[in-house]
Amino acid sequence: MSHFHRAEIARMAGWRDRLDRTSNWAITVVAAMLSVSLSTPSAHHGVLLFAMLLITLLLWIEARRYRFFDVYRTRVRQFERYYFAQIFSPQPDYASNWLAIVGEGLRSPRFHISQRSALIRRLRRNYIFMYTILMLAWVLKITTPSLARDGAPIGFSASLLDTFRVATLGPIPGVAVVCGVAVFYLAMLAASFFIRDEDAELSFGDVHV
C-alpha cells in the first residue's frame, strides 16, 4: 500500500509540474505582449487582443491537464482520508467501501470533473489576474495619446467616437471590437465569481491538497 501510495504521488506531482509549466508559459506570453505593445506607439493594440487569445488557448490546455491531475490527486486523497487517517485516528464504519471505489477507478479510469469545472478552477486560481492585466493594458493603449498608433489627440476625457476609432481592428469597426472585449470579460467575470463549481476543491478541510 505504501509503494502504491508513493507511485500515485509521483503521478500527481508529474501532472502538477505540467500545470505549472502551462501557467509559466501564460505569464511569459503576457509579459512579452505587454512589452511589445506598450513600448512604442507604432505597436498595434491588436497585439494585446492576440495575447488574450493565446491566454485563452493556454487556459484550455491547462484545464485539460488539470482533469488528469485531479484523477491522481483524488486517488491520493482517498488513501490519506480512508486509510492513513484511519490508522492514526480510527473511526467506526468510516467509508468502509473505499477500496472497492479505488479498485473500480483502477479498472476503468474516469475523469472526476468536467472540462467546464476545470476551466473555472484554473481561471479563478491563476488566469483571471492575467486577463485583468491585459484588459487594463488594452484600455490604456487605446485611450492614451502617447501610446496611440496614429498619434490621435485622445485621452481619458476624449469622446467615445475617438476611442472607437482607435479601437478599430482591420475591417472590424471599433464599436464591435470594444463590445466583443466587454462581452468576453463579462463572461470571464461570471465564470469566476457567479458560476458554482460542481464539486468544491475544499470539500474536505480548508487546504487545497
Side-chain angles (χ1 to χ4, degrees), residues 3-195:
H3 289 299
F4 182 66
H5 177 252
R6 189 180 300 113
E8 292 301 308
I9 288 181
R11 282 180 170 181
M12 182 185 73
W15 282 102
R16 176 75 250 186
D17 181 64
R18 293 187 180 187
L19 288 177
D20 292 337
R21 290 183 186 181
T22 311
S23 298
N24 291 340
W25 273 109
I27 295 173
T28 302
V29 167
V30 171
M33 294 300 183
L34 287 176
S35 178
V36 170
S37 179
L38 301 180
S39 61
T40 173
S42 61
H44 197 274
H45 71 91
V47 172
L48 295 173
L49 298 179
F50 180 66
M52 296 176 190
L53 182 63
L54 286 179
I55 293 302
T56 303
L57 175 62
L58 289 171
L59 172 60
W60 185 270
I61 295 174
E62 183 163 326
R64 181 179 178 274
R65 292 181 174 183
Y66 181 84
R67 297 181 73 191
F68 284 95
F69 163 76
D70 182 73
V71 171
Y72 303 111
R73 190 262 305 273
T74 301
R75 196 173 294 161
V76 169
R77 291 295 295 128
Q78 286 174 335
F79 270 87
E80 294 175 348
R81 191 180 308 126
Y82 303 128
Y83 180 67
F84 292 108
Q86 281 293 91
I87 294 176
F88 299 138
S89 178
Q91 295 182 9
D93 298 329
Y94 184 72
S96 58
N97 64 331
W98 75 275
L99 279 176
I101 297 175
V102 173
E104 183 62 28
L106 291 174
R107 291 189 182 94
S108 302
R110 291 182 175 86
F111 291 119
H112 299 290
I113 61 173
S114 64
Q115 182 76 8
R116 168 183 168 274
S117 292
L119 283 168
I120 292 174
R121 290 185 184 183
R122 301 317 296 167
L123 180 64
R124 289 174 179 172
R125 192 164 292 275
N126 287 331
Y127 283 79
I128 190 62
F129 305 106
M130 302 182 206
Y131 279 121
T132 301
I133 292 173
L134 288 175
M135 181 195 66
L136 294 176
W138 182 71
V139 172
L140 183 68
K141 181 69 176 179
I142 65 176
T143 57
T144 303
S146 60
L147 294 176
R149 190 179 182 186
D150 55 359
I154 64 171
F156 287 100
S157 61
S159 66
L160 286 176
L161 292 178
D162 292 331
T163 302
F164 290 151
R165 180 173 57 82
V166 176
T168 301
L169 186 64
I172 305 176
V175 177
V177 174
V178 172
C179 291
V181 173
V183 170
F184 176 78
Y185 272 88
L186 286 175
M188 293 293 105
L189 185 66
S192 299
F193 299 102
F194 300 107
I195 298 179

